[in-house]
Amino acid sequence: MADLSTHLPKSFISSKDVKNLIAACQALHRVRYFLQENSSRDDFKKGGFRFNCFNKLISVDALQALCLLPKCFGIFGLANNEDIRKFCLQNADIIFCTASSVANINPARIGSVDLLVVDETAQLKECESVAALQLPGLCHALLIGDEYQLPAMVHNEECDKAKFGRSLFERLVLIGHSKHLLNVQYRMHPSISRFPNKEFYGGRITDAANVQESIYEKRFLQGNMFGTFSFINVGRGKEEFGDGHSPKNMVEVAVISKIISNLFKVSSQRKQKMSVGVISPYKGQVRAIQERVGDKYNSLSVDQLFTLNVQSVDGFQGGEVDVIIISTVRCNVNGNVGFLSNRQRANVALTRARHCLWVIGNGTTLALSGSIWAELISESRTRGCFYDAVDDKNLRDAMSDALLDDVSSSFGSLSIRNGRRNDW
């Protein structure tokens, strides 16, 4: 019943009929239960109290519910699940499916298709779009996507060089096919949207009225460092490469862990709903942060006021939260940032936050990288949004502890007097 009401057009079965069907089924279940409980009793006889209750249940409850149903629904010959699936597909006005499952759809099952809408087209390999474009009777195709964000995943370098991961969307754009830009963004505070709009979209995106209202600006933590947009410089970090060759930076992990702890404390004290996302391009850093914070915040927040999500850039595509913390990880004197320099990944990471975006990293390394992150450092300095983590006592202590842990693990036990900190 639920499947039919979900997948069939309203011309076959209306929402009102579905509600009446459910009510009738529930009434019949009550009748059956009453009979199961009372039919074998000695006092269940005509003229008796229980028998009269049964008659009333039938006439008032069940029959009234059944009388509200139409005599038929125009649905015949559905002997098994396959017949039901075929009937639903052939009569549906809209069909939702994945790109890969389109290949399993044949004309006998769905009939002709007039309009095809493909979402996130820029993440589809060109070959993955072919099956959908061969649907019978297709007159119009609408491709929705953003070639400036994540492309399709290609795990082989040679295939990547051969542009095997290029989408049909990107190819059409490259050959000059006209496209319509959805030029109003409703997610980010203007202080957050300003940089990606300029760098990736040539300033063509405008901020909707809702994000420009004064109430949209949120201050979750005290201090200018934790405003709407800021770069927080962690100058004494250290990039480490593990067995998986994916780097991590435990000083940044400590800083981020402290910020999350402070946000959770504020959320609990104020009874304020807050969603926080932590993004890093590197799996090694994502794992390190996940291991550090564990599941304690989601388990402690019984009322679900505070939610935390730690993911890679790919895992956050299409998502949005109140606060985004980006861990850039890289820390070296050459400005070598590897695939952190990928503009599409940077675009995704920088456009997930609603109210606050805090980028954590080594300002010197990123400034020397010659990448999009060098532009971000320059922008944050120009706007007065560049801050040193050591200027915040909580973050300074967290960094000190992380460095001491690193020294201890490298050289064994280290005797340090209680309360003593490194000089920054």
Side-chain angles (χ1 to χ4, degrees), residues 86-99:
K86 185 176 178 180
F87 183 85
C88 287
L89 283 170
Q90 286 179 335
N91 291 283
D93 291 327
I94 303 173
I95 298 173
F96 293 89
C97 63
T98 62

Side-chain angles (χ1 to χ4, degrees), residues 300-318:
L300 284 172
S301 183
V302 181
D303 48 9
Q304 291 299 304
L305 284 175
F306 185 88
T307 56
L308 174 65
N309 191 9
V310 182
Q311 291 274 6
S312 65
V313 177
D314 301 68
F316 249 105
Q317 169 91 337

Side-chain angles (χ1 to χ4, degrees), residues 91-367:
N91 291 283
D93 291 327
I94 303 173
I95 298 173
F96 293 89
C97 63
T98 62
S100 57
S101 65
V102 172
N104 299 322
I105 296 177
N106 57 63
R109 293 186 72 182
I110 67 166
S112 63
V113 175
D114 300 316
L115 171 67
L116 171 71
V117 180
V118 186
D119 194 18
E120 294 288 2
T121 323
Q123 279 196 280
L124 273 181
K125 300 183 189 75
E126 201 163 5
C127 58
E128 293 172 327
S129 304
V130 173
L133 292 171
Q134 293 180 336
L135 287 170
L138 188 62
C139 299
H140 303 282
L142 177 62
L143 308 182
I144 303 171
D146 186 350
E147 75 273 27
Y148 299 118
Q149 296 201 6
L150 290 183
M153 288 292 290
V154 177
H155 298 286
N156 182 282
E157 283 189 24
E158 293 303 317
C159 289
D160 192 35
K161 289 176 183 176
K163 301 294 183 182
F164 183 71
R166 181 170 53 192
S167 65
L168 176 63
F169 189 97
E170 185 181 355
R171 179 188 284 274
L172 291 172
V173 170
L174 288 173
I175 64 175
H177 198 283
S178 62
K179 64 175 180 178
H180 176 73
L181 178 68
L182 300 177
N183 62 350
V184 181
Q185 70 86 15
Y186 298 85
R187 174 190 301 156
M188 297 169 280
H189 186 278
S191 295
I192 300 172
S193 66
R194 177 173 161 181
F195 179 76
N197 182 22
K198 180 182 70 173
E199 289 295 325
F200 305 114
Y201 302 100
R204 292 171 295 162
I205 307 295
T206 57
D207 299 312
N210 69 303
V211 301
Q212 297 187 56
E213 293 178 3
S214 58
I215 59 170
Y216 204 78
E217 183 173 349
K218 309 281 186 183
R219 286 276 181 163
F220 296 107
L221 296 178
Q222 291 184 346
N224 293 332
M225 186 181 294
F226 304 106
T228 306
F229 167 76
S230 62
F231 181 88
I232 301 174
N233 180 42
V234 178
R236 295 289 296 275
K238 176 186 175 185
E239 60 182 41
E240 307 170 39
F241 290 84
D243 296 335
H245 307 295
S246 181
K248 63 181 179 180
N249 186 322
M250 295 308 294
V251 177
E252 285 191 21
V253 170
V255 168
I256 290 167
S257 178
K258 190 62 184 177
I259 293 173
I260 294 170
S261 175
N262 291 340
L263 287 169
F264 178 75
K265 195 178 298 182
V266 168
S267 173
S268 301
Q269 290 172 349
R270 299 178 185 172
K271 299 296 180 186
Q272 181 178 10
K273 196 165 186 179
M274 192 186 302
S275 58
V276 179
V278 181
I279 301 178
S280 180
Y282 298 103
K283 290 181 181 178
Q285 186 74 346
V286 171
R287 281 193 297 270
I289 297 169
Q290 288 173 339
E291 289 169 5
R292 179 69 175 261
V293 301
D295 193 42
K296 63 181 178 181
Y297 295 110
N298 290 334
S299 60
L300 284 172
S301 183
V302 181
D303 48 9
Q304 291 299 304
L305 284 175
F306 185 88
T307 56
L308 174 65
N309 191 9
V310 182
Q311 291 274 6
S312 65
V313 177
D314 301 68
F316 249 105
Q317 169 91 337
E320 60 179 81
V321 291
D322 296 330
V323 181
I324 282 288
I325 305 168
I326 301 175
S327 177
T328 56
V329 180
R330 305 310 296 268
C331 179
N332 55 70
V333 295
N334 330 324
N336 181 14
V337 295
F339 90 133
L340 177 65
S341 61
N342 183 286
R343 289 178 62 87
Q344 290 164 305
R345 279 189 163 75
N347 187 12
V348 173
L350 293 168
T351 54
R352 301 303 98 195
R354 297 190 196 103
H355 306 297
C356 293
L357 171 64
W358 305 328
V359 182
I360 313 293
N362 185 300
T364 302
T365 299
L366 298 180

